Amino acid sequence: MTETVTPATVRSPSAPPALGGPGLFTVLLAAALPLIDFFIVNIALPTIGTDLHAGEAVLELVVAGYGVAYAVLLVLGGRLGDLFGRRRLFLGGMAAFGLTSLACGLAPGAWSLVAARVAQGASAAAMLPQVLATIQAATSGGRRAKAMSLYGATAGLSMVAGQILGGVLVAADIAGTGWRSVFLVNVPVVLVGLLLGARFVPETRSQRPEPVDGPGTVLLALSLLTLLAPLTEGRAAGWPLWTWLSLAAFPGVAVAFYAVERRADRAGRTPLVPPSLFELASLRRGLALMLPFSVGFSGFMFVIAVALQSGEHMDPVPAGLALAPMAVVFLFVSLAGPRLIARYGSRVVSAGSVLQAVGLVLVVLAARRDWPHLDFTALLPGVAIAGAGQALQLPNVLRLVMSEVPPARAGVGSGVMVTTQQSALALGVATLGTLFLSLVPHQGMRDALVTTLLVQLGLVVLTGVLSLRLPRTVG
């Protein structure tokens, strides 16, 4: 007897695989890990320095080594996912992230910790681009909009939660591990993620994968290294000659990278970062806004951590928990984001800039009024309002950037977006952090903090101006 097969009983071979609820949870868990680890060490650095007898320059490498390796390899990670399968790269990157986190937690000395952090950043670069690419390729319509909003909320919350979690873990001193627990905590999370990912994350890849763009990969890596390495290490190292030579080389290397990519794009090949991708107004304008936002965000987190611990002499837990209102408000406001953006469009992002500016002004006023007794209560109104503003900006901008990227280029698009975000986060620590630490000996901790926050306020105003150029509707 022949069975009748109806369209409902068979899936079209051309239909994309679906990303269900457990799969979405898994990729969002993976999205949180690299961002948490970028910020979790801010609170732990003083303890690491004492335990490993590490100087300031080496401690900055613990942060910068991770951030630079992560930023440099992100676009390549996205291309490899398009080529070999995003699920395969996702699981491989997650496994490597777990192993390198273990190596960080067991590092016997400062330089072995730096090496493990560089490897951890490279692992994150293999894993994270697959998250956005999988969402883009395995969802559509309302499900994609919801998934992108949740991704944005996860990204923002992870950056704040990382700093809070760092303080709690260092103070808890679980089984005598001290600062090592901020890395070891990743291991069980990764094991859970691998089990869920193997079962629930669908395999997707580009239908027309292109080989890796060797010249473009090398030139992009050199561009980011010549910019980020001297900025992150220059102040602690005393601005030696190599830092100035590196910064002087950056414009030339960047121009060479663009020329090589444009030539490949015009020849019909798919370069590492296709210039034609920037013809999408949503991507181009969204990335322009993401730069000052991320620079200000990461700079604020670093400066507050240093000011509260070194200036106010807070223990790790109070210093981390001082930002808890920002995390809580960010979470609840970001959950309302999809409804707000559907009703008001990108004007929500502009409103977020205004709220963040108000929050920063309140933090500045609190610092001027209450120093050297700046505590949780004094900071609460400012950080809460700033968190609400950030929640109206970041998730919606991330969603907008990817809204018009075709699924075939999902890996490239996600790699470009996350590279922009990560490079800006590293720049924020390098520039605003350097400004703050350079001002402290001359102005004192309070005035250095106020000056740096006012510079960040200028960046927030810039994001507000740029938000006016965003496409009015968000897909």
Side-chain angles (χ1 to χ4, degrees), residues 130-229:
Q130 319 316 325
V131 173
L132 275 172
T134 298
I135 290 173
Q136 193 78 352
T139 60
S140 60
R143 284 184 60 81
R144 179 183 297 171
K146 181 180 179 181
M148 287 300 299
S149 294
L150 287 172
Y151 173 86
T154 300
L157 191 60
S158 299
M159 289 188 258
V160 182
Q163 206 136 309
I164 298 171
L165 183 61
V168 172
L169 288 173
V170 170
D173 193 20
I174 301 169
T177 54
W179 60 266
R180 298 178 186 275
S181 60
V182 305
F183 302 114
L184 295 176
V185 71
N186 291 332
V187 177
V189 177
V190 164
L191 291 175
V192 172
L194 289 172
L195 291 173
L196 293 174
R199 182 171 181 182
F200 295 112
V201 176
E203 180 65 281
T204 63
R205 67 178 71 202
S206 176
Q207 294 181 349
R208 295 184 300 276
E210 295 281 344
V212 172
D213 173 14
T217 299
V218 172
L219 286 171
L220 176 62
L222 286 175
S223 298
L224 292 173
L225 282 171
T226 52
L227 176 66
L228 295 178

Side-chain angles (χ1 to χ4, degrees), residues 461-473:
V461 171
L462 178 58
T463 65
V465 172
L466 292 173
S467 71
L468 300 176
R469 300 187 67 248
L470 296 174
R472 185 59 64 193
T473 58

Side-chain angles (χ1 to χ4, degrees), residues 303-364:
V303 168
I304 283 292
V306 175
L308 293 182
Q309 289 191 94
S310 300
E312 293 285 354
H313 305 291
M314 284 188 182
D315 291 330
V317 171
L321 291 180
L323 297 176
M326 177 181 284
V328 172
V329 173
F330 188 103
L331 173 62
F332 285 104
V333 174
S334 63
L335 292 176
R339 292 192 298 274
L340 293 173
I341 207 79
R343 183 171 182 179
Y344 300 108
S346 61
R347 286 175 292 183
V348 171
V349 180
S350 303
S353 301
V354 174
L355 276 178
Q356 190 184 2
V358 171
L360 267 179
V361 169
L362 291 177
V363 173
V364 168

Side-chain angles (χ1 to χ4, degrees), residues 51-69:
D51 188 35
L52 299 183
H53 309 289
E56 187 180 2
V58 178
L59 287 178
E60 288 205 4
L61 275 177
V62 172
V63 179
Y66 175 86
V68 172

Side-chain angles (χ1 to χ4, degrees), residues 1 28 31 55 57 110 119 121 134 165 170 172 191 198 218 233 255 280 299 305 324 356 386 429 435-436 444:
M1 181 176 176
L28 292 180
T134 298
L165 183 61
V170 170
L191 291 175
V218 172
E233 278 297 294
V255 168
L280 301 174
Q356 190 184 2
V429 174
L435 172 65
F436 171 70

